[in-house]
Amino acid sequence: MRSQEPVLVLGLDIGGTSSRALVGDLSGRTLGTGSAGGGNPNSHPPERAAAQVAAAAADALRGLEPAAVRAGVLGMAGASKMTDPAVAELFRGEWSALGLTCPMRVVGDVEVAFAAGTPEPGGTVVIAGTGSVAARIEDHRLVASAGGHGWLLGDEGSAFWLGREAVRATLHALDLGRTDGDLVTAVLDELVGEPRAEPPALRNRLITAVNSAPPIRLAELAPLVTGAAGSGDEAATAIVRNAARLLAETASITRPPGDTSPIVLAGGLVGTGNPVGDALRAELAERFGAEPRTAGPGAAGAAWLAAVELAAPADLPTLHKQFLGAQG
């Protein structure tokens, strides 16, 4: 698309702990990036969330003309929150205050993650981070999902799930009178600490420590599992393998038999070298005969989704490569 005036797009990837923004043009050049604190209104008061999103966007727009932005996409988990008129109005107010005149399209984090991994219009995306979810994307939009029920009801294979399974494995070992093994030792060191005691006392201390801590504490134990699995610990390795199996089963709910469309992985557990990510890739390749791709930065994926509204379809693969590089 050519014009005398610059044509810009704005992508926003909004999470509970951080908000990231990217401004680019229709040649795929990144012209500005920005970041701020968590801007998800599901996790923060809506006024604060909207202000953080605006701060990230303002950072990315520094030195640029906001009116040149012709399309914007904001991706976040729990995007349905934006259907609340009061919450939506707060975000629209911040959008206008920045000098942005284009519409703000709100999509889910799964749509952004998929777009950050492939320029194809449809396929499967699996997110495995603090929580977990799988989804089916068609024409760049969510059409079906599985999982994502939260730490209490599900999120199998997520960091929450890994941490809970690590505690359960440790309690099982203590019930048997054992305190050996890398995973058991790591969990006890992290949650109980010294001095060492007999298994029954350690068991009671561990139960008390977990039940008195906020739920997010379980997710913080995930690195203990992946670290112990990397050193060959049997209990940790079993947890990792089970996580990969459960994540693949969740993905299969949204993926029709014989589907050959791309599979995109996103989230903190799927990075190269992470035992969960490695096991999940092997599991998905065996089940579906497809080599999963890894999502790139969410803000770049959101910016590319914004560009989909403006660029010629034939230009989209090249534009994706410019914004995101060759995602593996």
Side-chain angles (χ1 to χ4, degrees):
M1 179 174 181
R2 296 180 180 276
S3 172
Q4 292 297 106
E5 298 296 326
V7 176
L8 307 182
V9 293
L10 169 62
L12 290 149
D13 181 31
I14 308 305
T17 58
S18 67
S19 302
R20 301 188 183 281
L22 184 148
V23 177
D25 63 18
L26 294 189
S27 72
R29 290 186 304 160
T30 295
L31 302 177
T33 60
S35 62
N40 193 318
N42 295 285
S43 307
H44 303 284
E47 295 84 356
R48 178 185 171 191
Q52 293 292 345
V53 171
D59 195 14
L61 286 164
R62 187 177 293 114
L64 301 172
E65 176 53 56
V69 177
R70 305 294 177 81
V73 167
L74 184 154
M76 68 165 70
S80 61
K81 183 75 171 180
M82 297 292 283
T83 61
D84 182 331
V87 174
E89 185 56 36
L90 286 170
F91 279 77
R92 278 195 296 267
E94 295 284 5
W95 198 257
S96 297
L98 289 170
L100 293 163
T101 59
C102 66
M104 175 179 61
R105 182 159 71 93
V106 180
V107 303
D109 57 338
V110 292
E111 289 151 295
V112 165
F114 186 77
T118 177
E120 294 298 320
T124 303
V125 59
V126 181
I127 298 179
T130 302
S132 65
V133 67
R136 177 70 186 174
I137 305 296
E138 292 181 7
D139 195 23
H140 307 295
R141 296 179 184 272
L142 172 69
V143 296
S145 65
H149 301 147
W151 69 272
L152 183 60
L153 300 177
D155 279 2
E156 290 84 0
S158 69
F160 268 123
W161 185 91
L162 289 175
R164 187 189 67 181
E165 292 302 300
V167 172
R168 292 181 65 187
T170 302
L171 288 171
H172 179 66
L174 294 173
D175 286 344
L176 296 175
R178 291 179 35 237
T179 59
D180 58 310
D182 289 349
L183 180 61
V184 170
T185 299
V187 170
L188 291 174
D189 284 344
E190 182 71 19
L191 295 180
V192 177
E194 299 292 347
R196 281 283 188 259
E198 292 301 311
L202 289 172
R203 175 183 177 277
N204 292 335
R205 291 183 194 175
L206 180 57
I207 292 171
T208 299
V210 171
N211 286 326
S212 62
I216 191 65
R217 188 72 175 93
L218 285 174
E220 295 170 358
L221 302 179
L224 304 184
V225 180
T226 55
S231 65
D233 181 86
E234 184 177 339
T237 298
I239 292 171
V240 165
R241 288 175 178 166
N242 199 25
R245 179 183 61 80
L246 290 169
L247 287 167
E249 287 179 358
T250 302
S252 69
I253 295 172
T254 68
R255 191 169 178 86
D259 188 357
T260 59
S261 62
I263 300 173
V264 173
L265 304 182
L269 292 176
V270 305
T272 303
N274 186 298
V276 174
D278 292 344
L280 178 57
R281 285 178 177 81
E283 184 79 23
L284 291 171
E286 181 178 349
R287 287 180 183 237
F288 304 121
E291 184 66 30
R293 309 179 187 191
T294 304
W304 182 79
L305 274 179
V308 169
E309 303 175 27
L310 304 173
D315 295 336
L316 292 176
T318 299
L319 191 56
H320 190 275
K321 187 174 182 179
Q322 290 296 109
F323 273 135
L324 287 139
Q327 298 306 314

